[in-house]
Amino acid sequence: MFGIFKKKKKELGVSEVISQALKNGISELHINIYVDDQILFQVVPAKFYAARGLNENELDGFMELHFFNKNKTLTIENEQFAKQLSENGTLLYFEEPKGVNNYINAVGKNPNEIEKIINERIKTIYSNIKPERITIQYLG
């Protein structure tokens, strides 16, 4: 009977999770955004992508990584939006390994800005995917 009065545990927002991770010294935080069981894109430490065109001052923050290949069947048509962002200079493009098209952009260390960018990409690049199918996983 008293179970109905229990408070529902509040889920933390993306910016809150990032803030807590940084406060606790977790520098290897990876944020994976999924549709069903396929990864849409990731937010990862930028330091691993110095050779891909990120500036020296961007390497201590995070970056977004969108990748497309023939095995990502749920997002094949979404690559056209990433290509457009690459052509206008928002995302940097590289192919590695062969057949995997990668698009990256430094997003800094500000948790609120990172959350804003994640939400913006979901609304633009992946707008054809219903929000209830999208989940976020934190590793680190």
Side-chain angles (χ1 to χ4, degrees):
M1 174 166 161
F2 293 105
I4 42 179
F5 297 110
K6 287 184 182 177
K7 285 187 177 180
K8 196 172 188 177
K9 202 173 191 179
K10 182 185 176 239
E11 281 192 40
L12 296 177
V14 173
S15 61
E16 295 166 315
V17 172
I18 295 169
S19 294
Q20 282 189 356
L22 294 174
K23 192 184 324 180
N24 292 327
I26 299 172
S27 61
E28 300 296 318
L29 179 66
H30 286 62
I31 303 168
N32 298 327
I33 297 91
Y34 288 91
V35 56
D36 301 337
D37 63 344
Q38 286 186 18
I39 198 154
L40 281 178
F41 66 104
Q42 299 175 293
V43 174
V44 298
K47 64 185 174 185
F48 302 116
Y49 292 86
R52 295 293 172 206
L54 297 182
N55 298 325
E56 181 95 15
N57 60 344
E58 297 172 323
L59 297 178
D60 67 338
F62 292 90
M63 54 153 262
E64 60 182 302
L65 167 64
H66 305 264
F67 57 95
F68 301 89
N69 62 46
K70 64 180 179 180
N71 296 325
K72 287 184 63 181
T73 56
L74 298 176
T75 61
I76 289 173
E77 69 268 11
N78 300 90
E79 186 176 5
Q80 67 180 327
F81 299 108
K83 278 183 187 177
Q84 289 171 351
L85 290 173
S86 175
E87 289 169 2
N88 77 18
T90 302
L91 298 175
L92 299 171
Y93 169 79
F94 65 93
E95 181 181 15
E96 186 181 297
K98 187 168 175 43
V100 178
N101 299 317
N102 298 276
Y103 300 86
I104 64 172
N105 177 48
V107 296
K109 292 190 286 190
N110 181 313
N112 293 321
E113 280 300 308
I114 295 170
E115 181 171 12
K116 186 174 157 183
I117 289 169
I118 289 171
N119 290 331
E120 181 63 26
R121 297 301 183 243
I122 290 170
K123 287 180 196 168
T124 56
I125 297 176
Y126 306 103
S127 63
N128 62 323
I129 298 170
K130 293 184 180 190
E132 58 270 12
R133 293 178 59 201
I134 297 174
T135 57
I136 299 177
Q137 176 188 49
Y138 303 93
L139 303 169

